[in-house]
Amino acid sequence: MTEGKMQLDPRTKLFLLLIANFLLFFHLGVRTEALFVIFLCVLLVLSGKSRTGFLGAVFYVSVLYVSNRVMAHNQTNFWAILGLMITFVEKFFPCILAGFFAFTTTKVSEWIASMQKLHFPRHIIIPLMVLFRFFPTVRADYHHIRNAMKFRGIAVTVFDVIKQPFLTIEYIFVPLLMSATNTALDLSASSLSRGISAPTAHSSYTNVEFQLQDWLVWGSILTIFALYGGR
Amino acid sequence: MITLEQLAFSYEQSAQSLRPLDLSIKEGECLVLCGKSGCGKTTFTRIINGLIPELYEGKLTGKGTVAGVKIGEAEIYEFAQKVGSVFQNPKTQFFTTEVRTELVFGCENLGIEKEEIERRLRETVAVFPIEQLLEKNMFQLSGGQKQMIAFAAAYMQQPDIFVLDEPSSNLDYQTIQLLGEQIAKLKKAGKTIIIAEHRLYYLKQLADRFLWLEQGQIKQLFSQEEFACLSESELHVKGLRTLRLEKMKRKQQHVQHAKLEEKLVIQQLTHRYQKKGQTVLEELNLTLSNQAIYGIVGSNGVGKTTLMQIICGLIKPSKGTIRLQGQVLKQRQLLKLSYLVMQDVNYQLFCETVEKELLLKATEPELFEEVVKSLNLQLLLKRHPMTLSGGQKQRVAVASALLSGKKIILFDEPTSGLDAYHMEQVSKLFGLLQRKGRFVLLVSHDVEFLAKTVQQIVHLQDKKMTQKTITEIPENGWYTIFK
């Protein structure tokens, strides 16, 4: 196991992501947002992502500072546009950070296990598993095809691609789809022969359980909202 | 354990079929299915693991049971409890992304309790050499490791029967040895094992019976002793690969040389991976001639692929030069001069007919007639490349390389999963390229194929390289170069 690192339940991470989105759509004040971001950074550090945690905090605080200075200026067009851009970064940052936290500290198997625990139906879980499996495969296929195109003399440089975008796409897609079809059939064979279609209840080997730290995170978030929410 | 009565099958979408056959397989028996590509071996395995007729549709007639499960009537998951399967392609037979979850996946599907899964996991790790892989991501593993995990994952389901469909086709010599050892362990544990295979040498002591199929029909059923008595020429007539790798004879080669000898000189080639800073190739010197066919060998991760990509101009080496007839070639020039026939040819066919494929970016279209004729593609010109067989696709790729004036033609594992007949066809193809004065290099694990095809062996080992002509390799010591 990962020694000395805090493990949160994937459901807690999902909750954090939801809160981050909530903050984006409902304006709850800079104080709430800042507290939430700092809290996330602390969680990142505790989960073994210290670099991202520290950098995130420093970046966010600088953005807040710059934003304050810009807003203080008289509203000419230039400052207005700059202010808009900075606000945009400031508002989106919690979402990006929460998303990063959720997806870099959780294994695919943990997501699947928590979805099972949340009683998601099989016909949602299985396609998601296939999706997780497919992305890296398609990426590898894409690299092979690009290589093949290079020594074939098709769309070698970026300039070629810009000159003939549709032709390039066609040359990538024909072999990519062929390969994806084969992969899909092979994956079906592999999963069916291991009983994926069995109608009995499926068991789960990966453990996901709420622990003390999960309750603490939920508690802290709700406290922040209770104290500062809406102000 | 398995009984088949007048069982027959024909696919909906292809002409291949299995004619009515009667067979019974005892508990604890190891049966090998052999024969040319398309003889029905794979179809046979798909019937035993229940994928026919549910996943691969077609017409199934006759009766049969597999460990009490009725063929054609039961659902696939009922087979899953009795039969464990290992397939040919290591890239596409794992379903999850982590090794540990991959191993327990089948058990979870069958609703087995966590404590029991833990117990089986410990047992599996004791039987298969996979302990150090448990925490890895599936995508980080080599083909051989993936294949071992697939085998272990089948074992986790504790089936009575194992079905292996060409498990060795993507493996190197050492991993095939390991595969043989695992099969021996299962046999000792009393499991029934059915293996469809082209490579037979590693199974001659393991299999109780050999079933020789041709065009979907049982031609003959051999006992282990009877099969071992077959001479190499008898095997050859049946389209089967060698049984005796240790006595592999070098074929006397009558090479028709190209008129003009050219030399490709690689000097002081060093390559470091940019990300990890790890050196793969160090100060490599190599002189290649278009008068010989070169086989690049070496174990996984030794830099064979990197060397090929450098020669192709796909990557720029950290140091070193490549000269053709004294002229230094830049990366872009190499890209223009070379062509890599990939292990999976599907990646490099782009057009809707073979004819268009051949003429795409062709710089020497005047050779069209000649190339088409010498590669036997006349009847295929109007077909869609994707509807061709593996060997035909390979020939189309080679033809397009010739028409686009490529001087250096590289092959990555050109014979994975090929039977004896097609292997020889590929071998002949190289002769043709040589007569046309091309540089021919190939990376391969296939000992039998190398012995029949190449004149020079380039052996990569520990960032270094040794070059031998095949006459320097002792007659019965072919496989030593893979150690």
Side-chain angles (χ1 to χ4, degrees):
Chain A
M1 273 317 282
T2 36
E3 288 296 320
K5 285 181 199 163
M6 186 183 64
Q7 290 284 330
L8 286 177
D9 189 291
R11 284 167 290 179
T12 305
K13 295 174 190 168
L14 219 52
F15 171 66
L16 289 169
L17 193 58
L18 278 175
I19 291 290
N21 277 288
F22 183 77
L23 285 175
L24 180 68
F25 288 109
F26 301 93
H27 189 69
L28 290 187
V30 175
R31 197 152 43 157
T32 318
E33 282 171 24
L35 268 173
F36 178 72
V37 169
I38 300 302
F39 186 68
L40 266 183
C41 291
V42 173
L43 289 182
L44 274 165
V45 172
L46 289 175
S47 309
K49 300 268 170 200
S50 351
R51 224 174 84 93
T52 320
F54 284 121
L55 284 178
V58 170
F59 178 75
Y60 186 71
V61 170
S62 358
V63 168
L64 277 188
Y65 176 76
V66 173
S67 155
N68 264 332
R69 294 299 296 264
V70 169
M71 289 306 176
H73 269 272
N74 48 359
Q75 300 286 312
T76 57
N77 274 347
F78 171 75
W79 291 108
I81 289 168
L82 191 68
L84 195 70
M85 277 159 63
I86 289 173
T87 314
F88 192 74
V89 174
E90 184 193 318
K91 290 290 169 194
F92 265 97
F93 191 65
C95 282
I96 294 166
L97 205 63
F100 178 85
F101 179 56
F103 288 101
T104 54
T105 58
T106 317
K107 285 184 181 172
V108 174
S109 53
E110 289 168 347
W111 285 122
I112 304 292
S114 32
M115 280 192 279
Q116 268 171 355
K117 233 172 185 174
L118 290 168
H119 298 287
F120 274 57
R122 293 289 291 172
H123 56 260
I124 292 186
I125 296 180
I126 294 174
L128 276 175
M129 286 174 89
V130 174
L131 212 62
F132 280 126
R133 172 69 177 76
F134 241 84
F135 273 131
T137 315
V138 169
R139 198 169 54 194
D141 286 349
Y142 172 80
H143 282 297
H144 284 299
I145 293 165
R146 284 299 288 151
N147 277 347
M149 288 168 78
K150 275 184 196 158
F151 50 72
R152 196 67 186 275
I154 312 166
V156 183
T157 62
V158 181
F159 183 66
D160 297 337
V161 177
I162 295 168
K163 221 166 44 182
Q164 295 184 307
F166 294 111
L167 199 62
T168 312
I169 289 172
E170 188 190 323
Y171 284 139
I172 293 173
F173 267 79
V174 170
L176 199 61
L177 285 178
M178 254 348 265
S179 158
T181 317
N182 289 337
T183 308
L185 192 60
D186 285 356
L187 282 184
S188 308
S190 146
S191 56
L192 284 169
S193 71
R194 289 196 283 153
I196 200 169
S197 58
T200 46
H202 294 222
S203 59
S204 179
Y205 173 78
T206 311
N207 242 350
V208 285
E209 249 171 282
F210 258 56
Q211 287 165 319
L212 182 64
Q213 60 264 35
D214 293 293
W215 295 116
L216 283 177
V217 169
W218 282 73
S220 324
I221 294 287
L222 293 176
T223 314
I224 294 175
F225 271 68
L227 290 179
Y228 301 103
R231 273 186 232 174
Chain B
M1 192 47 93
I2 298 169
T3 52
L4 309 173
E5 287 169 45
Q6 286 297 301
L7 199 81
F9 180 77
S10 50
Y11 287 97
E12 219 160 65
Q13 299 184 339
S14 79
Q16 273 186 36
S17 63
L18 204 59
R19 309 265 184 82
L21 55 82
D22 294 287
L23 187 71
S24 77
I25 302 168
K26 288 193 294 286
E27 191 175 341
E29 189 178 355
C30 178
L31 177 78
V32 170
L33 310 166
C34 53
K36 287 179 190 162
S37 300
C39 71
K41 299 190 293 291
T42 298
T43 310
F44 190 103
T45 63
R46 286 171 181 168
I47 289 174
I48 304 297
N49 60 22
L51 293 179
I52 281 177
E54 226 179 300
L55 181 63
Y56 300 99
E57 291 172 349
K59 203 172 148 238
L60 185 75
T61 55
K63 281 195 299 189
T65 58
V66 176
V69 179
K70 284 205 171 113
I71 291 171
E73 290 172 31
E75 303 279 336
I76 297 182
Y77 65 84
E78 295 176 58
F79 284 89
Q81 295 165 340
K82 308 282 183 188
V83 185
S85 307
V86 180
F87 302 97
Q88 182 180 355
N89 190 344
K91 269 190 282 186
T92 52
Q93 64 167 311
F94 58 96
F95 191 70
T96 69
T97 43
E98 301 142 33
V99 171
R100 200 181 273 273
T101 48
E102 181 64 20
L103 290 171
V104 303
F105 177 65
C107 295
E108 287 181 334
N109 289 335
L110 300 174
I112 290 159
E113 290 303 314
K114 191 175 172 184
E115 289 71 36
E116 172 63 10
I117 300 182
E118 293 272 16
R119 197 192 62 71
R120 288 188 187 184
L121 202 56
R122 282 193 298 275
E123 191 189 318
T124 306
V125 171
V127 175
F128 291 85
I130 53 169
E131 192 161 9
Q132 68 288 0
L133 306 177
L134 281 180
E135 304 306 325
K136 292 218 163 124
N137 185 308
M138 283 304 296
F139 290 98
Q140 297 169 341
L141 305 186
S142 73
Q145 288 171 328
K146 280 179 189 155
Q147 202 71 338
M148 221 27 94
I149 297 295
F151 204 170
Y155 185 81
M156 284 287 290
Q157 282 164 257
Q158 303 209 324
D160 302 320
I161 302 167
F162 283 86
V163 170
L164 289 71
D165 184 14
E166 297 183 29
S168 83
S169 40
N170 289 287
L171 306 183
D172 61 19
Y173 178 79
Q174 274 157 315
T175 318
I176 293 176
Q177 297 299 103
L178 205 57
L179 179 70
E181 285 166 29
Q182 301 310 322
I183 294 171
K185 280 185 203 164
L186 293 185
K187 204 185 158 194
K188 223 174 180 183
K191 305 286 185 186
T192 309
I193 308 161
I194 295 164
I195 312 167
E197 215 15 314
H198 287 306
R199 288 185 186 151
L200 300 170
Y201 71 88
Y202 78 101
L203 295 168
K204 68 181 166 210
Q205 313 280 356
L206 291 171
D208 299 302
R209 288 193 289 174
F210 288 82
L211 184 68
W212 172 38
L213 293 162
E214 203 171 78
Q215 296 183 331
Q217 234 170 355
I218 298 185
K219 276 296 224 186
Q220 212 169 337
L221 195 56
F222 299 91
S223 69
Q224 191 188 62
E225 296 76 28
E226 286 165 354
F227 202 71
C229 290
L230 291 178
S231 70
E232 287 296 314
S233 55
E234 278 172 305
L235 287 169
H236 189 254
V237 171
K238 293 180 170 57
L240 302 178
R241 283 182 167 224
T242 185
L243 266 183
R244 305 164 187 88
L245 209 56
E246 66 285 354
K247 288 194 183 133
M248 200 58 229
K249 283 236 165 77
R250 288 190 304 270
K251 210 175 168 186
Q252 287 305 315
Q253 303 190 21
H254 304 285
V255 194
Q256 268 181 284
H257 292 307
K259 278 174 198 126
L260 181 70
E261 186 180 11
E262 288 182 86
K263 287 235 155 89
L264 191 71
V265 183
I266 300 174
Q267 272 174 327
Q268 298 286 315
L269 189 74
T270 300
H271 192 69
R272 235 168 272 116
Y273 288 129
Q274 251 163 11
K275 271 190 193 153
K276 293 177 235 160
Q278 205 181 2
T279 310
V280 250
L281 305 169
E282 206 166 18
E283 312 233 317
L284 225 74
N285 291 309
L286 180 64
T287 302
L288 303 169
S289 150
N290 63 351
Q291 309 276 312
I293 295 170
Y294 294 84
I296 304 173
V297 301
S299 48
N300 283 323
V302 82
K304 301 191 294 283
T305 309
T306 311
L307 180 61
M308 295 242 279
Q309 288 185 326
I310 290 172
I311 296 176
C312 276
L314 285 173
I315 51 178
K316 198 174 153 53
S318 317
K319 225 179 79 189
T321 56
I322 301 179
R323 282 169 216 267
L324 177 66
Q325 297 294 82
Q327 282 268 313
V328 177
L329 296 176
K330 290 201 190 106
Q331 189 186 0
R332 207 177 332 138
Q333 288 167 308
L334 282 168
L335 205 53
K336 272 206 176 128
L337 280 175
S338 56
Y339 189 94
L340 171 68
V341 179
M342 298 172 156
Q343 190 176 358
D344 190 345
V345 201
N346 289 318
Y347 292 135
Q348 48 198 155
L349 301 174
F350 302 99
C351 296
E352 61 266 29
T353 65
V354 170
E355 188 169 3
K356 280 190 187 169
E357 186 69 50
L358 297 182
L359 291 172
L360 176 74
K361 303 274 171 182
T363 53
E364 296 175 20
E366 64 277 9
L367 294 176
F368 186 78
E369 294 294 321
E370 192 196 340
V371 169
V372 164
K373 205 172 152 226
S374 53
L375 286 166
N376 231 339
L377 294 171
Q378 300 98 320
L379 296 173
L380 305 176
L381 288 176
K382 298 283 170 230
R383 295 261 301 267
H384 192 294
M386 293 302 174
T387 63
L388 306 179
S389 75
Q392 290 168 335
K393 283 179 190 168
Q394 222 170 34
R395 280 180 358 236
V396 172
V398 170
S400 71
L402 283 171
L403 290 173
S404 40
K406 303 287 188 177
K407 276 231 94 86
I408 309 161
I409 301 179
L410 302 99
F411 290 79
D412 187 10
E413 293 288 348
T415 58
S416 62
L418 292 191
D419 61 26
Y421 172 77
H422 289 95
M423 183 182 73
E424 276 177 28
Q425 293 298 308
V426 178
S427 211
K428 277 184 195 151
L429 186 65
F430 292 126
L432 173 85
L433 291 177
Q434 208 179 12
R435 282 196 297 284
K436 296 220 177 285
R438 314 295 157 133
F439 291 92
V440 183
L441 282 91
L442 55 109
V443 165
S444 180
H445 292 307
D446 191 336
V447 179
E448 189 180 356
F449 168 67
L450 286 169
K452 286 190 168 147
T453 313
V454 304
Q455 287 107 21
Q456 295 275 331
I457 291 282
V458 176
H459 187 191
L460 287 174
Q461 209 173 12
D462 267 346
K463 301 171 201 162
K464 293 286 173 199
M465 180 220 76
T466 43
Q467 190 177 358
K468 289 186 188 124
T469 56
I470 59 161
T471 41
E472 288 175 69
I473 297 161
E475 276 280 308
N476 55 5
W478 253 103
Y479 55 97
T480 58
I481 56 169
F482 291 92
K483 283 188 174 157

